[in-house]
Amino acid sequence: MAERRRDTGDGRGAEGPGAPGAGEELARAWGELVATARRTVAEGLVVGTSGNVSVRVGDTVLVTPTGVPYDRLTPEDVCGVSLDGRQVLGPLVPTSETPMHLAVYRATDARAVVHTHAVHATAVSTLVGELPLVHYMAADLGGPVRVAPYATYGTEKLAENMLGALRDRTACLLQNHGTLAHGATLAQAYDRTAQLEWMCRVWLTASSVPGLTPTLLTEAQVAEAGERLKGYGQPRP
């Protein structure tokens, strides 16, 4: 049975869970969070209840609860914390990685964070200190993807190491652990997570060919691609 705790939030504050209209926004955000968490399982980025997802709504951060299979989550299971880590919504205990998620929100303008234990990315995190520039999509993550030094999961030390690797980036690898990516939306954070896993798979695949070494891009080439990516997609009306 999932561990539960009493809601300790007072619901006060202009941007808190008790603000006018906040209920509908929180409910919508929770639905998107659950859908994203389920997608990480369906697309093989996590196994079981590993990994976690969060989204910021005002000064409240909705997070997946610890140890609960994502297909069992319901609207009544909404789980939220304040930016200082105090639980303000829901009966379920927040993910053990809450310190890492909150560190991202306090240090960046992120509105969503996705953390996974993706196979290829985790494998790369055990081999190098930085993902080699095997593809120009590294530009979408801010440049060469760094590996945060190992620290025990759920600790402030892991959050500290993660922030160092995330400096001027929107994603990083966690040594012997997995990935973390953030974005302006859950969709963007998830897409960056998937792109990172794909690039790690490409590098591992190319590196496995006996007698050959992958051709890598320069940081200048990646930066040039990044400029072009700014105009990618359909123009906004």
Side-chain angles (χ1 to χ4, degrees):
M1 180 179 293
E3 185 179 359
R4 291 177 178 268
R5 67 165 53 143
R6 182 175 58 84
D7 181 357
T8 57
D10 58 17
R12 294 179 295 182
E15 295 188 82
E24 291 183 6
E25 185 177 7
L26 288 167
R28 182 169 57 253
W30 177 251
E32 293 176 357
L33 180 149
V34 171
T36 300
R38 290 174 178 172
R39 188 178 176 190
T40 65
V41 176
E43 299 188 5
L45 297 178
V46 304
V47 175
T49 60
S50 65
N52 23 78
V53 179
S54 69
V55 62
R56 180 175 177 176
V57 180
D59 289 335
T60 300
V61 176
L62 302 182
V63 296
T64 47
T66 185
V68 181
Y70 301 140
D71 61 359
R72 297 183 189 175
L73 292 176
T74 70
E76 289 70 36
D77 292 323
V78 61
C79 184
V81 299
S82 61
L83 290 172
D84 62 5
R86 179 172 54 91
Q87 185 161 359
V88 296
L89 287 173
L92 297 176
V93 177
T95 172
S96 57
E97 296 290 12
T98 295
M100 189 164 61
H101 287 256
L102 295 180
V104 175
Y105 293 117
R106 289 194 292 259
T108 74
D109 59 357
R111 308 302 291 185
V113 174
V114 174
H115 164 52
T116 78
H117 293 178
V119 173
H120 300 92
T122 303
V124 169
S125 79
T126 71
L127 298 172
V128 293
E130 182 178 279
L131 175 63
L133 289 174
V134 72
H135 197 274
Y136 63 80
M137 282 304 293
D140 189 50
L141 305 180
V145 178
R146 307 182 188 99
V147 179
Y150 180 80
T152 304
Y153 81 92
T155 62
E156 292 293 345
K157 183 60 177 177
L158 176 59
E160 178 185 336
N161 291 352
M162 176 273 305
L163 282 182
L166 203 60
R167 187 183 70 256
D168 301 323
R169 301 288 187 269
T170 55
C172 69
L173 298 173
L174 307 172
Q175 189 178 59
N176 294 83
H177 188 155
T179 71
L180 184 136
H182 67 76
T185 64
L186 279 166
Q188 186 178 58
Y190 185 89
D191 183 65
R192 286 170 172 166
T193 300
Q195 289 285 358
L196 176 54
E197 168 67 356
W198 179 81
M199 284 190 292
C200 287
R201 184 177 182 181
V202 168
W203 182 71
L204 287 172
T205 301
S207 299
S208 69
V209 179
L212 296 177
T213 301
T215 299
L216 301 178
L217 301 175
T218 66
E219 291 197 30
Q221 288 172 322
V222 171
E224 181 180 0
E227 289 300 313
R228 292 183 65 84
L229 284 171
K230 292 178 180 179
Y232 179 77
Q234 297 297 314
R236 295 183 179 181

